[in-house]
Amino acid sequence: MGKTTGFIEYEREMPAHRPVSERIHDWREVYAPFSEQRLRKQAARCMDCGIPFCQSGCPLGNVIPDWNDLVYRGDWKAAYERLIATNNFPEFTGRICPAPCETACVLGIIDDPVTIEQIEKEIIEYAFEAGWVQSQQPLRRTGKKVAVIGSGPAGLAAADQLNRAGHRVTVLERDDRIGGLLRYGIPDFKLEKWVLDRRLEVMKKSGIQFITRADVGGSYASSRLNEFDAVVICTGATKPRNLPVRGRKLDGIHYAFDYLRQQNKLNEGDDLRRENITRINAQGKHVIVIGGGDTGSDCVGTANRQGAKSVTQFELLPTPPEDRPLHQPWPYYPMILRTSSSHQEGANRHWSIMTKEFSGTNGEVNCLKTLRTEFKDQKIVEYPESEQTWPADLVLLAIGYSGPESDNIAGPLGLKLDHRSNYKTNREYQTNVPGIFAAGDARRGQSLVVWAISEGREAALHADAYLSGFIALPTKGLGDLTRR
């Protein structure tokens, strides 16, 4: 695959970031353009490795060596066709995926891995520019109707696949715009929303119906789901984890998603005052972000763009190693120290630290207290002598999600939940109620966008088999159209 000696001749290269002094004053994506010539050199680094572990590292089973080779040879049309055979939305994963495929790259054993994610992004952008990405109505309609609840990556993937199978698909979204996590949970500097809108236009022209402000079990009565022959629940894991310590009820302490959602709405041109929403603004404030994951990083980048006086990020876990630890060998995705573009823009990062108390005046938070911690024998040990007070005018909780907001759906529909409060399904993604399926974070818990797309595709496959009596959608990987 690629050039036989490419991995020897060429070093790994990524697009340059736009200067920090420039990008913190706008909400555009942080990467500078990358030339086709340089990208083809990167594709040439893909080895003829025999067993491409990158494919097993990818939840979608993308046939990565094939489209790397085609890009190297300049056959962009064929590369695009191979890419979309397994991935409905490479323009999303090519921007926001942590690339587990790259940590599974065979070349990564001895050298820097192939820039798989960047190549993926450039293929789909080339395809859009060339006009190859077109709406496609199915050859026939089955007469069956399917409701997809939620329009995040899992819901969009399920809808796209079921529409291709010929079913009439209606996507129900409780928010005012389509996109779920992609629309309101991911900042524009990682995923500009014209990228999402461009894809949604293709899907609409393909025959998928989208209904906003359709809160199933609320404004949209759950009884109306009886109009559909099957239902796929893709509501995500949107119930945020709380931090129930002293002073939690002070003003100025917010969940990360609420904060990110507000800024994304402002970028869409919304007037928060008309919606009776009090603005959460980091301008001129000491900001503390509690949680060291991707959502916390997104809060860091957003606070810097809003003009925060200082940004500090806490993580309960110890500082990760810079290199792959022995207990996480290749090809597993390792927990190593990662520095995002948001961190590069300015943040004081601290590990092994626990927030114990919030304090404030006149009902407003102005500081918090922490202790240093250590993991011993699978327990957290606190060191009281390490108590420290930090100025904090704005605190953002980015400590994950505990599952889907299921009360309005699970109860009325009689659906069972698992021990983690996710929708319980069998191996065919079907719940205990025949004809109702679940996928994405609502089924597996908080995870990655690429996993959500994979789950949406798999749920669609089984929902289609339920409706049609046979499988007419591709299985994971390229797959052939098979019948059961």
Side-chain angles (χ1 to χ4, degrees):
M1 298 297 173
K3 187 177 182 181
T4 306
T5 58
F7 69 96
I8 299 174
E9 297 178 36
Y10 309 125
E11 295 181 353
R12 177 182 169 98
E13 183 182 8
M14 290 288 290
H17 290 86
R18 294 191 293 125
V20 171
S21 59
E22 171 188 312
R23 68 182 194 246
I24 63 169
H25 297 295
D26 62 48
W27 298 92
R28 294 186 292 111
E29 292 178 13
V30 301
Y31 287 110
F34 200 61
S35 71
E36 178 179 341
Q37 181 182 10
R38 293 162 70 188
L39 187 80
R40 289 176 65 179
K41 284 185 177 180
Q42 293 304 300
R45 298 184 70 239
C46 188
M47 307 167 66
D48 186 5
C49 58
I51 301 178
F53 279 80
C54 56
Q55 289 182 215
S56 62
C58 174
L60 288 163
N62 284 337
V63 192
I64 295 163
D66 282 17
W67 41 260
N68 278 342
D69 179 56
L70 291 164
V71 167
Y72 163 64
R73 300 181 189 284
D75 192 345
W76 289 88
K77 183 69 177 293
Y80 163 65
E81 292 171 349
R82 294 292 175 86
L83 177 57
I84 62 167
T86 55
N87 188 352
N88 302 67
F89 314 121
E91 65 270 35
F92 304 154
T93 54
R95 286 174 164 85
I96 58 178
C97 183
C101 54
E102 294 186 14
T103 61
C105 174
V106 173
L107 180 57
I109 299 175
I110 60 170
D111 200 349
D112 293 327
V114 177
T115 58
I116 298 169
E117 183 180 22
Q118 183 64 28
I119 296 169
E120 178 181 20
K121 173 189 172 185
E122 297 295 342
I123 291 172
I124 189 62
E125 291 305 321
Y126 194 108
F128 269 108
E129 188 173 343
W132 299 332
V133 185
Q134 297 291 331
S135 60
Q136 289 187 332
Q137 292 277 351
L139 295 178
R140 66 177 182 87
R141 288 292 181 182
T142 64
K144 302 289 187 178
K145 297 193 298 182
V146 184
V148 176
I149 305 175
S151 67
L156 294 180
D160 197 32
Q161 292 295 96
L162 287 164
N163 182 66
R164 293 180 187 186
H167 308 302
R168 288 290 183 185
V169 181
T170 300
V171 178
L172 305 173
E173 170 56 55
R174 70 177 180 178
D175 223 322
D176 58 343
R177 291 184 178 88
I178 297 297
L181 171 75
L182 300 169
R183 174 71 66 183
Y184 287 130
I186 298 174
D188 286 13
F189 56 79
K190 289 176 64 176
L191 177 68
E192 292 186 47
K193 299 307 174 273
W194 64 264
V195 177
L196 173 59
D197 292 331
R198 178 181 62 181
R199 176 58 68 176
L200 291 175
E201 282 303 308
V202 174
M203 296 179 71
K204 290 174 183 176
K205 291 178 181 178
S206 298
I208 299 172
Q209 181 183 15
F210 294 94
I211 301 178
T212 57
R213 303 184 189 278
D215 185 9
V216 176
S219 61
Y220 191 98
S222 56
S223 60
R224 295 181 62 181
L225 296 177
N226 294 328
E227 303 169 10
F228 299 92
D229 300 290
V231 176
V232 184
I233 301 172
C234 301
T235 55
T238 54
K239 191 183 299 181
R241 294 188 186 279
N242 197 7
L243 185 61
V245 300
R246 183 181 300 175
R248 170 62 182 87
K249 293 184 179 180
L250 289 169
D251 290 339
I253 305 170
H254 304 274
Y255 291 118
F257 181 79
D258 295 338
Y259 175 62
L260 297 174
R261 183 178 186 275
Q262 276 198 18
Q263 186 57 58
N264 282 0
K265 287 181 70 67
L266 289 169
N267 291 347
E268 295 272 12
D270 290 358
D271 186 345
L272 299 182
R273 292 171 297 182
R274 288 188 176 182
E275 300 181 37
N276 294 319
I277 298 174
T278 302
R279 171 98 187 266
I280 307 171
N281 195 349
Q283 185 175 15
K285 296 179 179 179
H286 293 292
V287 179
I288 301 285
V289 178
I290 300 177
D294 289 340
T295 302
S297 169
D298 293 343
C299 290
V300 169
T302 300
N304 278 321
R305 281 163 178 75
Q306 290 181 348
K309 189 172 184 178
S310 70
V311 181
T312 304
Q313 186 175 20
F314 295 158
E315 170 56 58
L316 179 64
L317 299 174
T319 308
E322 294 188 4
D323 299 317
R324 183 189 289 273
L326 292 176
H327 67 281
Q328 295 173 352
W330 174 90
Y332 294 105
Y333 189 78
M335 298 302 294
I336 59 175
L337 180 62
R338 291 179 170 88
T339 301
S340 71
S341 61
S342 294
H343 294 138
Q344 295 168 355
E345 293 160 3
N348 301 308
R349 304 170 73 185
H350 299 270
W351 287 267
S352 297
I353 192 167
M354 175 186 287
T355 301
K356 299 295 292 183
E357 179 183 350
F358 299 108
S359 299
T361 56
N362 300 322
E364 293 277 348
V365 68
N366 60 21
C367 68
L368 59 80
K369 293 181 180 179
T370 65
L371 295 180
R372 289 289 173 184
T373 62
E374 184 179 2
F375 274 85
K376 286 185 177 181
D377 299 325
Q378 299 182 339
K379 295 181 180 179
I380 299 176
V381 178
E382 302 177 15
Y383 293 96
E385 68 276 10
S386 67
E387 182 177 285
Q388 187 172 353
T389 300
W390 307 75
D393 306 307
L394 173 62
V395 178
L396 302 171
L397 304 180
I399 51 180
Y401 300 85
S402 59
E405 298 172 67
S406 58
D407 292 349
N408 288 348
I409 298 177
L413 299 182
L415 303 179
K416 293 182 179 179
L417 305 179
D418 64 18
H419 67 284
R420 297 185 300 157
S421 300
N422 301 318
Y423 289 101
K424 187 176 182 179
T425 68
N426 59 20
R427 295 179 64 181
E428 283 74 44
Y429 290 71
Q430 189 167 202
T431 67
N432 59 293
V433 177
I436 300 182
F437 300 78
D441 290 5
R443 188 191 82 96
R444 65 178 286 121
Q446 178 186 348
S447 189
L448 306 174
V449 166
V450 66
W451 266 114
I453 296 173
S454 174
E455 290 247 328
R457 288 173 63 93
E458 292 296 301
L461 182 153
H462 294 293
D464 176 46
Y466 168 84
L467 294 170
S468 304
F470 57 84
I471 294 177
L473 288 170
T475 55
K476 188 168 292 187
L478 275 178
D480 294 320
L481 296 184
T482 58
R483 292 179 180 269
R484 179 178 290 174

